[in-house]
Amino acid sequence: MNRKDLKYILILLPISIFAFFSNIWVRPADLMEARNFITAREMVENNNFLIPTLNGFLRFEKPPLPTWFTAGIMKLTGNMTDEYILRIPVAICSVLFIILLYYFMKLLTKDSFKSFLVAFVGTTTFMLIKIGNENTWDIYTYIFAFGAITFILKGFQEKKTRDFIIGGIFLAGSILSKGPVGIYGLVIPFLISYTAVFGFKDLKLNLKKIFLMVFIATVLSSVWAIVVYSKYPDIFLSVLKKEEKTWSTRHTESFIYYIDYFVYMGVWIFFSFMAVIYSWSRKRNSNKNISKFIFLWNILVILFLSFIKMKKKRYGIPIYMTSAMSVGIICEYYYNKIWNELKKSDRILLNVQGIFMCVISFAIPIILFLKGYMIGSISLKYMLMIFIIFISFGVLTLNFIVRKKELSIKFIIFGSGILMLITNISTNWFFDRNFIKKTNELIEYQKIKVVRKNPPISDVYGKYYEIEDVWRIGKNIKNYDENTNLPNEFIFFGDVPEEILDNYKIYKKEIYVKDDGNLAELSYLEKQEV
């Protein structure tokens, strides 16, 4: 890398930090995050990092690397309760992905500015930002898989064993994050598309080094599984069988489930849609082989993920990684053109993008005024700030697309990404609270997170509870049934069964509001004297 690369990376670093760190405080932990946080908490509390547990039960369903990262931040900060602290590892990994994306494109194209635009698009892609704020297993496995791909490409070009060793370490990280998911969803489509376009020469010349990479990945990623299997062989094998069945029976969706992926590209929706029209996109890349390679890689990723019955929107992460490359290349094509050189379809796309930016800029203040300020959930100062920023941006965009055509191309390219970042930081919390996870705020009750800050000393029992509740109260909940041997004093989560009240009395009750707006009741009981 040269000084120009260093300059672009120094620009990308604060942008990506802003993108991935600005909203790690917004959302309460969902089911997947709660599992990660609880398991990490129990690792730290039990000082046992090899045998994961969830609410006291063995937890082998997911490999432990993301949980190790979370446990590490708990140990480092001494904080095991604040979700925004525990999301720092995933935000750091997301920033790492942007640097890897830049490096990969520089290796592929030898063009620093094109690489910068691709990384800029990746930083401002809605779904990548969203997943980069959630400490789940999925983002880790694909980031490490992308790291492996980057060093495979570097190894192909420089023929150095060191690069394949680094690639093996990244590959091991991917496997230790979510098994072979990253290899299937990203690495295999890469190898197929690369050899289909550039031939088998690089693969043949580096075959021994590739075997070394696979060996390193296998050894490093299998150590944990071997340790767990040696201690709990039957349980470990049963979990593997259950997980295998889960992938074909749960969250099953149709083959075309990911066909709307470009909607989740956020502000790049129109660019990403045009990018999958091969005859159109290949004409906007000076290197036809690179255009064909990225296009094929993108299509194969979509197909590979579509073949899997189990689907969720966040499972489509690699689609947004490869789509960012396609969009970035199109942006670079436009950036180096003047308005009169553009074809009619190019002008239409840029005008549509400009109008889209105007709609966003004018609509957001209106929505926040009607749904926020008018009902008292947004202050006047915040509303004025939103109004000034977005209306000014909208007027500026309108001015460019109507009057200053020569400058409008550059403004639309960088303005689109900037608008995405501004929208994300200033309104994400509002839309999440009022539209995505709409809850009934019960202000007469404290939020349950105060319990997590000071978890109860006594044992907690429960009959009907969610795993998120275990995270919310900061303490394991023991399963209760009629045969449970209860201590003299304990706490019951939820409605206390009648049979317990035959021998115990409630001397205190606490009611809290959960993240979803429902109530959580903690009853403090002690044994009645006979």
Side-chain angles (χ1 to χ4, degrees):
M1 284 193 175
N2 53 38
R3 292 182 66 181
K4 186 182 290 186
D5 294 318
L6 181 61
K7 179 188 75 173
Y8 285 134
I9 288 174
L10 289 177
I11 295 172
L12 286 168
L13 271 174
I15 294 173
S16 57
I17 289 171
F18 184 80
F20 296 113
F21 278 83
S22 58
N23 280 310
I24 56 177
W25 60 274
V26 171
R27 296 180 181 89
D30 61 9
L31 175 61
M32 293 304 295
E33 274 196 302
R35 287 171 175 168
N36 188 10
F37 293 161
I38 296 166
T39 304
R41 183 178 70 199
E42 292 180 16
M43 282 181 175
V44 175
E45 289 175 344
N46 302 327
N47 198 28
N48 187 343
F49 295 85
L50 285 177
I51 310 298
T53 58
L54 179 69
N55 196 30
F57 296 95
L58 294 172
R59 168 75 175 170
F60 300 150
E61 281 78 2
K62 296 288 188 295
L65 187 58
T67 311
W68 286 341
F69 287 143
T70 308
I73 202 70
M74 286 180 175
K75 291 279 284 186
L76 187 65
T77 62
N79 190 317
M80 295 194 293
T81 60
D82 289 318
E83 291 158 349
Y84 71 93
I85 294 291
L86 306 185
R87 289 172 180 145
I88 288 176
V90 75
I92 292 173
C93 280
S94 299
V95 173
L96 171 64
F97 165 68
I98 299 304
I99 305 305
L100 287 170
L101 183 59
Y102 178 90
Y103 191 39
F104 176 85
M105 289 303 298
K106 180 61 190 294
L107 290 169
L108 186 66
T109 66
K110 313 303 179 188
D111 187 325
S112 297
F113 185 66
K114 186 177 290 186
S115 304
F116 170 72
L117 281 177
V118 167
F120 178 73
V121 170
T123 311
T124 55
T125 294
F126 169 74
M127 186 58 87
L128 291 179
I129 295 175
K130 180 181 182 298
I131 301 299
N133 292 161
E134 300 173 0
N135 202 344
T136 60
W137 286 260
D138 305 275
I139 188 71
Y140 290 103
T141 192
Y142 287 117
I143 289 175
F144 290 128
F146 192 88
I149 289 168
T150 301
F151 282 92
I152 289 172
L153 180 62
K154 189 170 185 289
F156 283 166
Q157 294 182 356
E158 299 183 7
K159 310 294 189 297
K160 291 181 179 179
T161 304
R162 176 193 61 195
D163 295 321
F164 290 95
I165 292 173
I166 297 173
I169 294 171
F170 270 108
L171 205 59
S174 179
I175 297 169
L176 273 171
S177 295
K178 204 176 179 182
V181 171
I183 297 173
Y184 172 82
L186 199 60
V187 178
I188 294 177
F190 162 77
L191 292 173
I192 294 173
S193 55
Y194 186 88
T195 53
V197 175
F198 300 107
F200 289 89
K201 182 181 176 181
D202 290 328
L203 208 61
K204 289 178 179 178
L205 290 174
N206 296 281
L207 199 57
K208 290 182 180 179
K209 297 183 182 73
I210 291 172
F211 279 126
L212 174 63
M213 181 187 72
V214 173
F215 175 76
I216 291 170
T218 303
V219 171
L220 292 178
S221 63
S222 62
V223 171
W224 173 77
I226 291 170
V227 170
V228 171
Y229 178 76
S230 66
K231 289 181 174 291
Y232 304 97
D234 294 336
I235 297 175
F236 185 71
L237 290 176
S238 67
V239 167
L240 288 181
K241 290 179 180 178
K242 186 188 79 172
E243 285 295 294
E244 182 183 358
K245 185 178 179 182
T246 296
W247 279 93
S248 60
T249 58
R250 294 187 62 191
H251 303 291
T252 57
E253 300 288 348
S254 70
F255 184 80
I256 61 171
Y257 181 74
Y258 294 112
I259 200 68
D260 63 346
Y261 79 90
F262 51 85
V263 175
Y264 297 91
M265 289 290 292
V267 74
W268 304 110
I269 176 174
F270 301 110
F271 282 80
S272 59
F273 179 78
M274 296 302 293
V276 295
I277 304 174
Y278 181 64
S279 60
W280 186 91
S281 61
R282 69 186 295 271
K283 294 176 183 177
R284 285 144 185 87
N285 191 342
S286 56
N287 191 315
K288 304 306 178 187
N289 280 339
I290 290 176
S291 177
K292 185 187 295 184
F293 160 63
I294 292 177
F295 176 83
L296 182 58
W297 190 10
N298 194 25
I299 295 300
L300 286 177
V301 164
I302 296 171
L303 289 175
F304 271 51
L305 295 179
S306 298
F307 287 133
I308 302 293
K309 291 183 179 180
M310 187 177 180
K311 298 180 181 71
K312 292 181 183 178
K313 290 304 178 187
R314 60 184 168 86
Y315 291 175
I317 294 169
I319 300 174
Y320 307 103
M321 292 177 167
T322 53
S323 294
M325 299 180 205
S326 301
V327 172
I329 288 172
I330 294 171
C331 287
E332 192 265 348
Y333 163 81
Y334 284 139
Y335 192 90
N336 292 316
K337 293 286 185 181
I338 61 175
W339 188 262
N340 291 334
E341 291 178 342
L342 295 176
K343 298 177 182 179
K344 184 178 180 181
S345 61
D346 296 323
R347 296 179 185 182
I348 291 173
L349 177 59
L350 287 171
N351 281 324
V352 167
Q353 182 70 10
I355 293 169
F356 181 55
M357 291 165 65
C358 288
V359 170
I360 293 174
S361 300
F362 294 134
I364 284 177
I366 295 172
I367 294 172
L368 265 64
F369 178 78
L370 296 175
K371 298 291 185 179
Y373 177 74
M374 291 298 289
I375 62 174
S377 63
I378 289 180
S379 68
L380 178 60
K381 288 183 179 179
Y382 194 81
M383 191 65 242
L384 287 173
M385 181 190 73
I386 291 292
F387 184 85
I388 292 169
I389 291 173
F390 282 95
I391 297 299
S392 299
F393 200 96
V395 170
L396 187 63
T397 304
L398 196 60
N399 182 55
F400 271 111
I401 62 177
V402 172
R403 299 177 60 188
K404 300 180 179 180
K405 293 294 186 183
E406 295 303 327
L407 295 175
S408 66
I409 300 174
K410 294 176 175 59
F411 177 81
I412 286 173
I413 289 171
F414 285 109
S416 295
I418 292 169
L419 180 60
M420 179 69 234
L421 294 177
I422 294 173
T423 303
N424 184 56
I425 182 64
S426 61
T427 65
N428 188 297
W429 64 272
F430 175 81
F431 285 103
D432 188 81
R433 182 181 300 175
N434 292 276
F435 296 96
I436 300 173
K437 293 181 179 176
K438 193 172 182 180
T439 60
N440 297 315
E441 294 289 339
L442 302 172
I443 58 175
E444 64 266 31
Y445 299 112
Q446 285 185 299
K447 292 187 176 181
I448 199 168
K449 66 181 180 181
V450 303
V451 183
R452 187 167 70 245
K453 289 284 188 180
N454 297 284
I457 298 174
S458 300
D459 289 340
V460 180
Y461 290 81
K463 192 170 185 178
Y464 305 107
Y465 61 91
E466 301 169 331
I467 201 65
E468 293 99 315
D469 295 323
V470 178
W471 168 245
R472 288 163 181 155
I473 68 169
K475 190 179 181 70
N476 288 359
I477 300 177
K478 298 181 178 181
N479 291 331
Y480 168 81
D481 60 36
E482 293 181 358
N483 298 317
T484 301
N485 187 19
L486 296 169
N488 289 335
E489 289 191 15
F490 65 94
I491 299 169
F492 200 90
F493 184 91
D495 295 330
V496 182
E498 289 296 327
E499 65 268 15
I500 291 180
L501 298 177
D502 292 339
N503 300 306
Y504 291 83
K505 66 177 181 180
I506 299 172
Y507 64 88
K508 184 172 72 170
K509 270 190 178 184
E510 294 175 346
I511 300 176
Y512 301 92
V513 62
K514 297 197 287 188
D515 308 317
D516 57 7
N518 294 318
L519 294 179
E521 187 175 277
L522 292 176
S523 299
Y524 291 71
L525 295 99
E526 62 181 7
K527 199 161 190 176
Q528 298 186 55
E529 295 182 5
V530 179

